[in-house]
Amino acid sequence: MARTYKIQVLPGDGIGPEVIQEAVKVLEIVSGAIQRLDLAFHEFPCGGKYYLETGVEWPGEAEVFAQQEADAILLGAVGWEIAPGQPVRRKDGQLAGAEVVLGQRRDLELYANVRPVKLYPGVPTPLADKQPADIDFVIIRENTEGLYSGIGKRYGENEPGELAIDVRPISRMGAERVIRYAGRLAQKRGKGAPKDGKQRLTCVDKSNVLLGDQLFRQVFEESMHDFPEIEPDFAYVDAWVMWCVRQPEYYNVVVAPNLYGDIISDLGAAIQGGMGVAAGGNIGDNHAMFEPIHGSAPRHAGKRRANPTAAILAGKMLLEWLGERHNDHQAMNAATIIEEAVTTVLKEGKVRTYDLCKGSYSSQKPSTTKQMGTAIRKIIQKTLKERS
Ligand code: IPM
Ligand code: MG
């Protein structure tokens, strides 16, 4: 008997619901067509708009469901605006809705933020002279500590001597678990770096200056003794962004403390063709939450033009994670079918959302969110039919 996976769906704010709807439809199709793959969807409201209406970022039962019931979580985006440039904030000044993302990362111990950077054929990259064969690596961002610890204080508010301090704890345990996760991923990615096939793992830090980074790098060096087939590699974060633009093909798996990972993964998204195609997973030992990394983009909300590819790829990562965790070949198989369909649609390029109508595609008429989602689902249905 196949088990039923409970998928918690959190569409959230802005373009979140628009893209998540397309991703859920994709998951429904594979779940319906593949025998012994059964997904049940449980949707809950959350985000800044919900906060404005209710005074809380999500209902208490949604939080309990995430902790106790969900086999995996699919999140759209959080963050809403009262007026352009005026985000909804909680009473403590934090972005309303952020707790759903940051709180979950912390409370569910989703310590590895996995962000693949892959340029699909047919997607324009801003890097001149780089091809899909050059851009295929994964950023692993530490996701629970560092500058996101939430420890800090403002002193003497609105006084001339005002001061704000953010504390940046980096622990041996916190560094070690994410570095080992990255090491295991580098082992699994047999093809290695596009440039030379090396199973390279790059530690990105600022250990020439900061104590936390010195610990992070030390733990990296120690951990690598257990991964003899991996080529350890080091870069200071400022230099890494330069190298990433110059020769992305050198990278295979990259691991970094929290805030550096946040920043460098937006660079990664840019070189793979933009936020519209960049997906991520927040992964721990017992829980995982997947999301398009683009955010709620309030100014695009309701225009039905957002690219659902990132959300659909987040769904693919969710299936991959379930597949590995439960040794479930059908879930893995579904993930492969989804990625192949995305690849085909992007490569054919007849259907493309506005964000992909750049460079040599700038004269093309942009497709809507629905058209893009439908095109991907058509290919999935064709594949499923052929294989049944
Ligand atoms: C991300 C986002 C979040 C972060 C924001 C929305 C709090 O930028 O997931 O990268 O800073 O982690
Ligand atoms: Mg970010």
Side-chain angles (χ1 to χ4, degrees):
M1 261 282 287
R3 60 173 292 177
T4 301
Y5 296 115
K6 292 181 189 166
I7 310 300
Q8 181 168 35
V9 181
L10 300 168
D13 289 310
I15 60 170
E18 298 168 36
V19 295
I20 286 298
Q21 194 184 14
E22 299 303 316
V24 169
K25 280 195 221 159
V26 164
L27 294 175
E28 278 170 349
I29 286 179
V30 291
S31 166
I34 299 181
Q35 264 186 19
R36 303 176 61 82
L37 178 66
D38 196 9
L39 306 173
F41 301 93
H42 302 262
E43 190 176 315
F44 295 88
C46 72
K49 203 172 186 188
Y50 186 77
Y51 180 86
L52 216 51
E53 291 157 11
T54 64
V56 291
E57 288 162 285
W58 56 341
E61 64 265 27
E63 195 173 347
V64 173
F65 193 89
Q67 286 167 1
Q68 298 178 7
E69 297 284 334
D71 287 296
I73 305 168
L74 183 63
L75 172 74
V78 293
W80 191 239
E81 292 181 340
I82 309 162
Q86 266 191 59
V88 183
R89 292 194 180 278
R90 299 188 316 229
K91 289 193 188 79
D92 65 0
Q94 296 298 345
L95 194 75
E99 189 54 20
V100 178
V101 182
L102 304 181
Q104 293 282 91
R105 289 176 182 169
R106 200 181 48 233
D107 298 345
L108 301 179
E109 291 199 70
L110 310 176
Y111 57 81
N113 193 328
V114 180
R115 297 186 161 178
V117 178
K118 181 169 173 176
L119 178 63
Y120 289 94
V123 175
T125 174
L127 295 188
D129 306 329
K130 297 298 174 196
Q131 316 298 329
D134 298 317
I135 302 179
D136 186 2
F137 61 94
V138 183
I139 296 174
I140 308 291
R141 160 186 177 188
E142 200 292 319
N143 214 25
T144 55
E145 49 183 30
L147 274 168
Y148 283 72
S149 69
I151 308 167
K153 200 169 160 58
R154 277 176 78 154
Y155 299 91
E157 218 155 310
N158 299 322
E159 287 169 19
E162 183 169 1
L163 174 71
I165 294 178
D166 295 290
V167 179
R168 179 176 179 250
I170 290 194
S171 68
R172 175 173 280 280
M173 183 276 282
E176 189 170 344
R177 63 185 182 179
V178 73
I179 288 164
R180 288 185 175 276
Y181 184 97
R184 291 193 298 275
L185 179 69
Q187 278 175 331
K188 268 188 282 178
R189 276 172 60 91
K191 58 183 169 347
K195 184 183 165 83
D196 51 16
K198 291 267 168 64
Q199 282 177 291
R200 184 170 293 117
L201 174 56
T202 307
C203 179
V204 172
D205 58 51
K206 191 73 187 172
S207 56
N208 48 345
V209 181
L210 297 168
L211 291 175
D213 296 87
Q214 286 162 18
L215 174 60
F216 195 85
R217 184 174 285 208
Q218 186 189 326
V219 173
F220 179 86
E221 287 175 311
E222 288 167 9
S223 305
M224 283 307 102
H225 294 307
D226 295 333
F227 295 87
E229 69 277 52
I230 305 294
E231 180 183 282
D233 180 45
F234 305 91
Y236 299 135
V237 61
D238 47 349
W240 187 84
V241 292
M242 179 187 70
W243 287 115
C244 175
V245 168
R246 284 202 183 152
Q247 58 159 358
E249 63 275 19
Y250 187 72
Y251 297 108
N252 177 42
V253 180
V254 172
V255 65
N258 205 337
L259 184 64
Y260 306 148
D262 177 45
I263 296 167
I264 69 173
S265 58
D266 276 23
L267 175 67
I271 68 169
Q272 74 179 119
M275 288 297 195
V277 291
N282 303 271
I283 297 179
D285 291 330
N286 300 306
H287 301 272
M289 176 167 77
F290 299 84
E291 52 179 336
I293 74 172
H294 48 55
S296 59
R299 71 196 166 90
H300 297 296
K303 298 195 175 141
R304 298 181 300 167
R305 62 189 208 136
N307 188 347
T309 304
I312 291 169
L313 287 174
K316 168 239 159 195
M317 290 180 75
L318 178 149
L319 284 169
E320 235 163 34
W321 182 76
L322 285 175
E324 269 182 34
R325 180 172 166 78
H326 302 283
N327 198 15
D328 180 339
H329 298 287
Q330 296 314 329
M332 296 293 266
N333 181 20
T336 308
I337 291 173
I338 293 171
E339 189 177 22
E340 281 170 6
V342 167
T343 308
T344 304
V345 169
L346 292 172
K347 193 170 169 187
E348 285 181 359
K350 281 179 285 193
V351 181
R352 53 173 71 234
T353 42
Y354 78 95
D355 55 312
L356 303 177
C357 295
K358 285 183 193 143
S360 53
Y361 306 100
S362 52
S363 58
Q364 202 171 320
K365 185 174 174 275
S367 313
T368 64
T369 308
K370 269 215 165 62
Q371 285 167 338
M372 190 82 183
T374 306
I376 292 168
R377 284 190 296 275
K378 268 200 184 135
I379 308 280
I380 293 175
Q381 278 163 325
K382 195 168 149 243
T383 311
L384 288 167
K385 222 180 180 169
E386 280 163 11
R387 299 202 186 161
S388 69

